Every structure is written in structure tokens, then in C-alpha cells.
Amino acid sequence: MFHLSALGIADGTLLMFGMLLAMLLVGMPLAFVTLFVALFFAIGWFGPMVVPLITTRIYSFVASYVFVSVPMFVLMAAILDRSGIARDLFDAMKLIAGRIRGGVAIQTIFVAVILAAMSGIIGGEIVLLGLLALPQMLRLGYDRNLAIGVVCAGGSLGTMVPPSIVLIIYGLTANVSIGDLFTAAFIPGFMLAGFYVVYVLFRAYLNPAVAPVLEEDEMDLTEKLKLLRGLVLPALVITFVLGSIYGGIASVTEASAVGVAGVVLSTAIRRELTFELLRGAAVQTLATCGMIVWIGIGASAIVGVFNLMGGLTFVNNLITGISDNPTVVVLFMMLILFILGMFLDWVGIALLTLPIFVPIVKQLGMDPIWFGVLFCMNMQVAFLSPPFGPAGFYLKSVAPPDISLGDIFKSLVPFVCMQIVAVALLVFFPGITGR
């Protein structure tokens, strides 16, 4: 009887990733592809006796206490999607954007940062901004490409701004402090948002027709105070969630529960809390977390089998053999992540690559916390990169019919370039993360 182990680790690695790619190209879900390939290689390489070892590895992933924070932050985002908090927040930001040229686009970026700091979920942010900001910018005569880019890029900031789910999954996979990751990602996240604001101002003042000034009637003090009320509840939620983490009062898991309580209380104060709202949010949370768990199970299984085959050592030697310069090795890993980001979901990328990349980073004497921020910044690029950049598909679901998917991805090119610049800055100036 032929055993796959007769192939050798190099040919086995090629066959494994060839099978993965072929099955993904025919449209099979990533979770089921990875599980099937893991079982195929486990039985074909070692025999059926190794299967219990896979289940042990899977259990250690799903039983992690910090993983509880993921459904909590997803639930926060789902409730925000269904409440009017984001709409009032968007209206309140008019007071900050004022009448500066490109003000509505800048207002959109500010709202995106605040929403990211409340929940850390990306899809909901892009849909919300696509419903709130995009129609207003198009109505005011903003350049369509600029408006689309601001909504998609701004809505994707949830990848970088704490409490980011991407940072949490990285922390779980790399076995590093999630609180330290949040602290390290703080400045890079706002740096990227700052790039977007500078780009909007540059385009607006270079060509005034791109972003007209918002002409509105003067508001009296009462109206301004009424608008400001829209900032109060989001500010309180962010203060309680991030303040409790950075202040050492609560762990990330405990802070996520505080966040859910804060958002539920906010909707109750606004008299929007209904059974239907909670039911819809719960169903959305189950669907999102179910997807994350299944991908995690599949990825844990295939990485476990690959490790038993000796694949991690093989790939480790392959990558570190690229150059004696650690920076070149990290840049090569960034290139791999960039290419994978065009085709795979970030959860799959994280769970498939990090068990290989993080030990290499530690072996090179580099900081895994810094690399985590670098990874998340690379996933920012993945969210916007064609052909499968999820940001484009999220926006397409709520965009006017005359805006095609091609129009959306074309609009994202300058924002992808800014993200790549941000990745380069983090590689060559790790001090930006405070590490």
C-alpha cells in the first residue's frame, strides 16, 4: 500500500497546497477544504491512529478563554448595525468637519475610527458608512472614486484600531498578550487614519471640484448641543471598553462583556431596544462566530498535520534561507501575506500562516507584538485588494446600482498604496508601535 510519506516533505508540501488551491478555486468553503486536506494527509501519511491528535489540537483552540471576547465584540457590532447610534454619531461629526473642503469625507473617516474603537468589526462598518455617508457625498457632488475609497478604507480601520478582532485572533494564535497588541496598534491605527485625512485634504484643495464645501444654514447653540448628544454614548462605551483594558481594570474578555452591556444600555436609553433587535443581532453573531470557529477548526487541523509531517521546519528553513538579513525575511513574509490576501479570508490567512511565521520572527530575535501589528496592517491591504477584497463586496451590497464592483476596486487603488506605505513604515521604523 502506498503511503503519502513516500513523497518526502517537499513534494508533500506541494501536493498539500496544490490540493488546497484547487479545491478553493472550485468554490468549496475554506473550513471544509482545510479539514478534508488535513484528514487526507493525516490518514495517508501516518494512518488513522493520528486523528485523535488533531482533535486535541482543535480543542485547545476553541477552548481558549480569550476567544470568548470574539462573540462579544461581534455582538456589539451587530447591535450597533441595528440601532441609530451610528447615524446620530455621523450627524454629530458635522460639528468637527465644519465647512472645510472635503469635510464630509473627513467626517466619515472620524466616524469610522469611533465605530472601530467601539466594536472592531469591519463588514458592518462599511455597510453602515455605505448607507450613511456615500449617498450624502454623491449628492453633494464629491468625486465618486474618492467617496467610494473613503467609505471602504475608513470602514476597514477596524482591523487596526483596538479592540480589533484581527488583533485578538493574532494574540490567540501567537500566544502573546492581547492587551500589549492593543497598545502597540493604537498609534499605527491612527497614523493610517491620518494618511486618509491628509489624502482627502490634498485632493480637495488641489482640485476643489473633487470635494465641494458643505453649505449649510447656521446652527444655533441648541441645535449644536442636540447634535453633540450623538457623541456622548459612543464616547462612554469606548471609555469603558478601552479604558478598562489600558487601565488594567479588566481583561480583554471582561472588557468585551462591558462593551456589550454599554451598547445594550445605550440602545435602551435611546428607546430602540426591542426583542427583534436583540434576536437579529444574536443571529448575526452566531453566523459570524460560527464561520470563525469552523475556519479555526480546519486551519488548526491542517497546521497540526503539517507540523507532524515536518512541514513547519521545512517551511521555516525555506523562508529563513531567503536571506541573512531579518528585514528581508520579514518583507518576504509580508509579500506572502499580500498575495494570500487577494484570495483568502483574513481568519484563514491568520490561522494558516501565523503558526509558521511567528516562530520564525522569534527565532530572528524580533518582537512578535510588533509583527502582530505588521500582520494586521497587511490584512488592511487584504480587505481592499482585488479580486476578492471583502470591502468591495460589502460596499457593493448597499451601493447605488450604477456603481460596479470594478468601479469600487479602481477607487481603492490610492488607499491600497497608502496602506502599503504604512506597512513599509512599520517594517523600517518599528518604534512607531512603541516596542
Side-chain angles (χ1 to χ4, degrees):
M1 181 180 173
F2 177 76
H3 280 270
L4 289 174
S5 55
L7 292 172
I9 188 58
D11 291 334
T13 300
L14 282 175
L15 178 61
M16 176 179 279
F17 286 96
M19 283 181 66
L20 277 172
L21 184 61
M23 294 171 77
L24 287 170
L25 286 174
V26 298
M28 287 184 66
L30 177 63
F32 302 137
V33 168
T34 48
L35 266 177
F36 174 80
V37 174
L39 286 171
F40 177 81
F41 273 84
I43 295 168
W45 198 281
F46 302 102
M49 296 301 290
V50 82
V51 173
L53 290 175
I54 301 173
T55 58
T56 303
R57 182 182 174 89
I58 290 170
Y59 179 78
S60 67
F61 168 75
V62 296
S64 172
Y65 174 66
V66 182
F67 195 76
V68 176
S69 64
V70 174
M72 288 293 165
F73 284 124
V74 174
L75 182 58
M76 279 177 66
I79 295 171
L80 281 171
D81 281 355
R82 289 161 173 76
S83 72
I85 293 173
R87 183 183 62 248
D88 286 355
L89 177 62
F90 185 76
D91 290 339
M93 294 306 289
K94 291 176 186 174
L95 298 175
I96 294 175
R99 291 186 177 181
I100 61 173
R101 194 166 294 282
V104 180
I106 293 168
Q107 175 183 339
T108 302
I109 295 166
F110 284 158
V111 171
V113 170
I114 294 172
L115 291 176
M118 288 181 74
S119 67
I121 303 293
I122 290 131
E125 279 190 51
I126 293 171
V127 170
L128 275 173
L129 295 174
L131 292 170
L132 292 173
L134 185 61
Q136 187 172 350
M137 283 191 277
L138 295 177
R139 179 177 57 81
L140 291 169
Y142 271 64
D143 176 76
R144 191 166 75 161
N145 290 341
L146 180 66
I148 291 169
V150 163
V151 169
C152 282
S156 299
L157 284 168
T159 307
M160 283 301 301
V161 177
S164 162
I165 299 295
V166 185
L167 287 167
I168 292 171
I169 295 295
Y170 177 89
L172 283 169
T173 310
N175 196 28
V176 296
S177 165
I178 294 171
D180 288 348
L181 282 169
F182 282 1
T183 303
F186 199 82
I187 292 174
F190 283 96
M191 176 186 75
L192 190 59
F195 284 178
Y196 298 159
V197 170
V198 170
Y199 173 72
V200 168
L201 290 171
F202 176 77
R203 288 284 310 276
Y205 283 95
L206 190 68
N207 181 6
V210 165
V213 176
L214 178 60
E215 294 293 343
E216 287 192 342
D217 297 330
E218 286 290 334
M219 288 184 289
D220 59 30
L221 183 60
T222 306
E223 290 172 315
K224 288 181 178 179
L225 289 174
K226 189 177 178 181
L227 281 178
L228 274 175
R229 285 193 308 181
L231 286 172
V232 175
L233 292 175
L236 286 174
V237 172
I238 292 168
T239 301
F240 284 127
V241 174
L242 296 182
S244 60
I245 294 171
Y246 292 135
I249 300 167
S251 67
V252 171
T253 307
E254 293 160 345
S256 67
V258 170
V260 171
V263 172
V264 170
L265 184 60
S266 298
T267 53
I269 291 170
R270 295 169 52 86
R271 298 180 181 177
E272 294 175 341
L273 188 62
T274 62
F275 175 75
E276 282 304 312
L277 183 146
L278 290 176
R279 181 180 176 278
V283 169
Q284 183 181 335
T285 303
L286 284 170
T288 303
C289 293
M291 177 269 293
I292 292 173
V293 168
W294 273 109
I295 291 176
I297 288 171
S300 296
I302 198 168
V303 170
V305 172
F306 192 55
N307 193 14
L308 285 174
M309 290 165 54
L312 295 188
T313 304
F314 170 72
V315 175
N316 186 324
N317 293 337
L318 200 65
I319 292 175
T320 52
I322 294 289
S323 172
D324 292 331
N325 187 334
T327 303
V328 174
V329 176
V330 170
L331 287 172
F332 182 68
M333 288 192 278
M334 290 298 105
L335 177 62
I336 293 172
L337 292 174
F338 177 76
I339 294 169
L340 289 175
M342 295 180 180
F343 305 100
L344 291 181
D345 183 86
W346 70 266
V347 183
I349 296 171
L351 297 172
L352 288 170
T353 61
L354 294 179
I356 300 171
F357 287 178
V358 173
I360 294 174
V361 169
K362 291 177 180 176
Q363 182 183 319
L364 293 171
M366 293 179 158
D367 185 356
I369 299 288
W370 161 76
F371 186 77
V373 178
L374 199 56
F375 172 82
C376 288
M377 190 68 83
N378 203 308
M379 290 304 97
Q380 278 274 141
V381 183
F383 268 99
L384 270 59
S385 299
F388 299 120
F393 290 92
Y394 287 136
L395 184 60
K396 176 60 183 166
S397 67
V398 293
D402 62 318
I403 295 178
S404 70
L405 204 54
D407 293 333
I408 293 172
F409 282 125
K410 184 177 72 175
S411 305
L412 297 179
V413 171
F415 293 89
V416 170
C417 292
M418 282 184 272
Q419 290 170 342
I420 292 172
V421 169
V423 171
L425 285 172
L426 286 175
V427 170
F428 294 105
F429 302 100
I432 295 171
T433 63
R435 304 296 295 183

